[in-house]
Amino acid sequence: MSEDDVVSAELLAVHAAIAPWTRALLDRFHTPKRILSLSIQELMQVPGIGPAGARHLRARLDNSDLDRLSGQLERTGCRVLTSGTPGFPRELELMPEAPPVLFARGEVPGPLLPKIAIVGARRCSAYGRRQARRLAAALARRGFVVTSGLARGIDITAQVAALEAGSSVIAVLGSGLDVAYPPEHIEWIDRIAEQGAVLSEYPPGTPPRPENFPFRNRIISGLSLGVIVVEASLRSGSLITARYALEQGREVFAVPGPVDSPVSCGPHSLLRDGAKLVEEIEDVLEAFPDLILPGIEERTVEPEPSSALIDALKEAPRTADALAARLGESVDSLLPKLLELEVAGQVERIAGGRFAAR
């Protein structure tokens, strides 16, 4: 193993063995190699780790298999970053509850590239999808990096629009980098890693547990100058992201929606509480008057035409399985096409897990 591979494997070993003590031990002992060699007596020097806890942590550290962990990192193509190491986002360094370790694919755009989060409802409307696509593309063309969570609906719409405009994108997952959630977004993980970065504080192999997602939202907001909420219910995780943004001193923006739509409740609640109203990107830019924007050359990539797919959906709404049978394709090859057409506004999901042409 190279020296970098060894350090990455050591970090993974430490984090897997001693989380949630990773931050405290790295602050005190500085390197994962040093932590791996700590005695029970040394572990007990850390406030909060008593004799029983020290024995438990020492046993877990003893069971670390660096060769296996290095192989796991190589298979998943990810690096392990910690505060102060090259590639760790500077925006997170002083963040409350900063992640002690990040697993990364791709390269995190540096602090000179301004970042903005666009988040919202998974079950969004066509209106919400249009606004997310319009704002993300416009912000990307002005040089913003769009951050989000790669969820269905608003998140993926914004991130795909930014990619197609030629911008870097950051996706923050609530699972290991080798566990796509939702599964149909696996190809977008690869695409974002090529054009930006995919991050997670969870080691490879971690499943998408429900409790992971609200907590990962603090990273989405922490990376960003501000958070734009496009459609959200009052119990939405997007409002959790907005709350983290306020705690971190970031700006909160909201896109108004139709008054009779349930997913307008979240943005309207934020607006009543003082969030900045967004109709055009100028509403975002005026919040950062001193910001120097690099701008980028616009690059629009339209989804490949799929007339047979659209024609089949015009005949009748169909599930992915039924559509695959109708077209003689596999579901795995069909889902990315459906997603691109959905983001482009040509296809929508309706009740019963079916897809329909717009």
Side-chain angles (χ1 to χ4, degrees), residues 19-344:
W21 295 99
T22 308
R23 168 65 67 187
L25 290 176
L26 282 173
D27 286 346
R28 188 179 186 97
F29 298 105
H30 308 301
T31 68
K33 185 172 184 176
R34 175 76 178 96
I35 294 171
L36 287 168
S37 67
L38 292 176
S39 67
I40 291 176
Q41 288 71 29
E42 289 172 313
L43 286 167
M44 288 171 57
Q45 295 174 15
V46 179
I49 301 180
R55 288 193 296 271
H56 174 70
L57 293 178
R58 184 63 260 168
R60 296 199 64 175
L61 291 169
D62 287 339
N63 289 328
S64 300
D65 183 338
L66 294 185
D67 288 334
R68 179 183 64 80
L69 294 172
S70 179
Q72 185 181 38
L73 293 175
E74 184 176 357
R75 286 192 302 276
T76 57
C78 70
R79 296 171 296 128
V80 190
L81 310 175
T82 190
S83 179
T85 61
F88 191 89
R90 193 179 303 171
E91 296 92 342
L92 302 182
E93 293 280 0
L94 300 177
M95 186 185 83
E97 297 185 295
V101 170
L102 280 176
F103 300 88
R105 285 187 58 193
E107 297 294 332
V108 181
L112 294 180
L113 286 176
K115 302 168 184 67
I116 198 85
I118 301 180
V119 298
R122 289 172 171 81
R123 296 183 178 180
C124 61
S125 68
Y127 164 83
R129 206 179 283 278
R130 282 198 308 275
Q131 303 316 311
R133 186 165 55 245
R134 178 176 66 90
L135 292 169
L139 288 163
R141 288 192 290 269
R142 294 297 292 269
F144 279 91
V145 175
V146 173
T147 67
S148 200
L150 207 69
R152 295 185 180 104
I154 296 299
D155 288 27
I156 187 65
T157 298
Q159 292 184 297
V160 170
L163 287 171
E164 292 177 346
S167 172
S168 295
V169 168
I170 300 175
V172 186
L173 307 188
S175 60
L177 295 184
D178 56 337
V179 184
Y181 185 80
E184 66 265 24
H185 290 180
I186 181 65
E187 292 190 11
W188 290 111
I189 290 179
D190 295 335
R191 171 85 177 271
I192 291 171
E194 292 172 0
Q195 203 165 317
V198 186
L199 304 175
S200 176
E201 62 186 312
Y202 302 106
T206 303
R209 301 184 182 99
E211 63 270 21
N212 293 355
F213 292 92
F215 198 49
R216 70 87 197 260
N217 290 351
R218 80 197 193 286
I219 299 177
I220 294 174
S221 57
L223 286 165
S224 309
L225 293 171
V227 173
I228 303 173
V229 178
V230 183
E231 295 196 327
S233 69
L234 289 175
R235 297 174 62 85
S236 169
S238 300
L239 298 196
I240 296 176
T241 310
R243 187 179 73 237
Y244 278 126
L246 289 172
E247 293 172 356
Q248 295 159 350
R250 273 53 169 178
E251 297 286 350
V252 175
F253 306 90
V255 177
V259 296
D260 58 349
S261 170
V263 287
S264 295
C265 295
H268 291 180
S269 174
L270 291 174
L271 290 168
R272 283 192 291 270
D273 290 340
K276 293 177 172 60
L277 183 145
V278 175
E279 294 177 329
E280 303 291 341
I281 66 163
E282 285 71 25
D283 299 317
V284 178
L285 299 180
E286 70 179 15
F288 312 111
D290 299 325
L291 193 63
I292 299 174
L293 295 171
I296 59 174
E297 181 180 349
E298 181 174 354
R299 177 165 62 88
T300 301
V301 180
E302 297 294 337
E304 294 182 5
S306 185
S307 56
L309 191 158
I310 296 293
D311 288 345
L313 292 178
K314 285 180 178 177
E315 293 172 3
R318 303 174 192 270
T319 65
D321 288 335
L323 190 58
R326 172 75 171 75
L327 299 176
E329 293 191 41
S330 69
V331 173
D332 287 344
S333 68
L334 193 62
L335 283 173
K337 299 176 187 177
L338 285 167
L339 178 60
E340 288 203 22
L341 291 169
E342 186 181 3
V343 168

